[in-house]
Amino acid sequence: MEAFAWLGRRVLDWVEVLGRGTVFLARVLAGLPGAAARVRDLVRQIGRVGAESMVLILVSGLFVGMVLGLQGYNMLVRFGAEESLGLAVALALVRELGPVVSALLYAGRAGSALAAEIGLMKTTEQLAAMGMMAVDPLHRVVAPRFLAGIIAVPLLAAMFSAVGVLGGQFVGVGLLGVDDGAFWSQMQAGVDLRDDIANGIVKSVVFGVVVTWISLFQGHDAVPTSEGVSRATTRSVVWSSLAVFGLDFVLTSLMFND
Amino acid sequence: MTRDRKIEAAVGLFVVIGLAALLMLAVRVGNLTLQTDYGSYRVTARFENIGGLKVRAPVSMSGIRIGQVVGLGFDPETYEAIATLEIDGRFARVPADSSASIFTAGLLGEQYVSISPGVDEEFLAAGDEIGLTQSAMILERLIGRFLFDKASAGDGD
């Protein structure tokens, strides 16, 4: 009996959080036009979530691309198809690894910071103080961060993929001796602008929305204690990562099913 | 003020690098070609068997890619497969009596449609059908025929 009550309580909690999250998202979306108009604040937020994550993304992308080049070469050379290395590296990056890994890195690097910042603002009653002055903190504080995340994540994913391709080229062409012309021409013949690249960008936009939403919501929904903020930070990364993997599967099966 | 400027410069750099990466993906990786103003036209071809031909497979003439397969259908009356080929407008002078064959790129590569030009003075136009076609080679069928020929040759001796 106790077990059923526990399960029921958990489910109800879940539904409640989901409802609060949706209302939160709706109110933030209503604040987006205002946030877009305050360019200076928006630029500052893009700087924090995007520009400061750039080095991490570039270095990670380079190494992921190099590993792909190495592993792909070892696999392809068995079939005498090492000329296809460029295609394999580019497709893996543009379709999957670029959007997914950059979203995960973004969740760890910027999402956690957003959750902690908003959570601490709530704990120190800054958000409540804004409310007292008839300034909606969701419009003034959360919306610019949300918009900045949506703008930054696709750009980060594109950088990740582009640098990854260069890393793959460095290993494949530079170290393993794949023909440079074949590397690029196979890639260009096999990667479709709409089906692969545009869909990859759509993916990263979705990830940007979801990760930023989860992080900001967790911060805003935090129990206003130091422990509550730390839990919110952890939850933001955990839920963002799960959401990215889950959505990636759904989006992939919707987009690349032919 | 100086701190603001630094942030602005960092964001500017971020956006520029991001857009450059997008551009590189589009042009260098995705082979974005801006010559779409030639348009394209569609012709159909009936095959007895298309083997493993897929939508988006290349259509080539003399080894040059001139278009792609955009649709595969089935005719329930004649039990033939109908492939719709989209040919780039730059290649508008394909003789009407050309023939289409399905070949395989490499031993295990993907299949593509190859068009061998005929001698007609008329050219293929949108909606036309290529009359002469040659079906895909099915490896199993070839092996089967080869074994059968061998066996019957053995009987004769």
Side-chain angles (χ1 to χ4, degrees), chain A residues 119-135:
Chain A
L120 212 59
M121 278 182 161
K122 185 185 183 189
T123 309
T124 53
E125 295 178 345
Q126 293 179 49
L127 296 186
M130 281 186 153
M132 297 277 251
M133 294 185 287
V135 175

Side-chain angles (χ1 to χ4, degrees), chain A residues 19-182:
Chain A
R20 274 208 305 274
T22 310
V23 171
F24 175 83
L25 182 64
R27 286 177 61 193
V28 172
L29 287 179
L32 282 189
R38 285 192 299 276
V39 178
R40 185 150 285 229
D41 190 27
L42 182 64
V43 166
R44 239 168 64 89
Q45 299 306 331
I46 294 177
R48 285 190 47 219
V49 297
E52 287 180 20
S53 310
M54 193 164 66
V55 175
L56 171 70
I57 291 285
L58 290 177
V59 174
S60 314
L62 188 67
F63 280 114
V64 168
M66 284 163 69
V67 169
L68 276 177
L70 213 54
Q71 295 283 19
Y73 181 82
N74 283 336
M75 189 51 83
L76 289 170
V77 80
R78 291 186 199 184
F79 307 109
E82 65 268 26
E83 316 280 73
S84 304
L85 183 67
L87 177 61
V89 169
L91 276 186
L93 280 167
V94 170
R95 284 182 163 193
E96 287 296 329
L97 291 172
V100 171
V101 178
S102 56
L104 292 176
L105 290 171
Y106 170 82
R109 167 71 181 68
S112 58
L114 289 176
E117 186 189 21
I118 303 290
L120 212 59
M121 278 182 161
K122 185 185 183 189
T123 309
T124 53
E125 295 178 345
Q126 293 179 49
L127 296 186
M130 281 186 153
M132 297 277 251
M133 294 185 287
V135 175
D136 188 341
L138 290 187
H139 290 188
R140 194 73 184 80
V141 175
V142 176
R145 288 164 173 75
F146 186 68
L147 191 57
I150 299 174
I151 294 171
V153 174
L155 291 176
L156 290 173
M159 287 179 201
F160 189 97
S161 301
V163 167
V165 169
L166 293 179
Q169 189 220 13
F170 170 69
V171 169
V173 177
L175 302 181
L176 298 171
V178 175
D179 181 59
D180 193 40

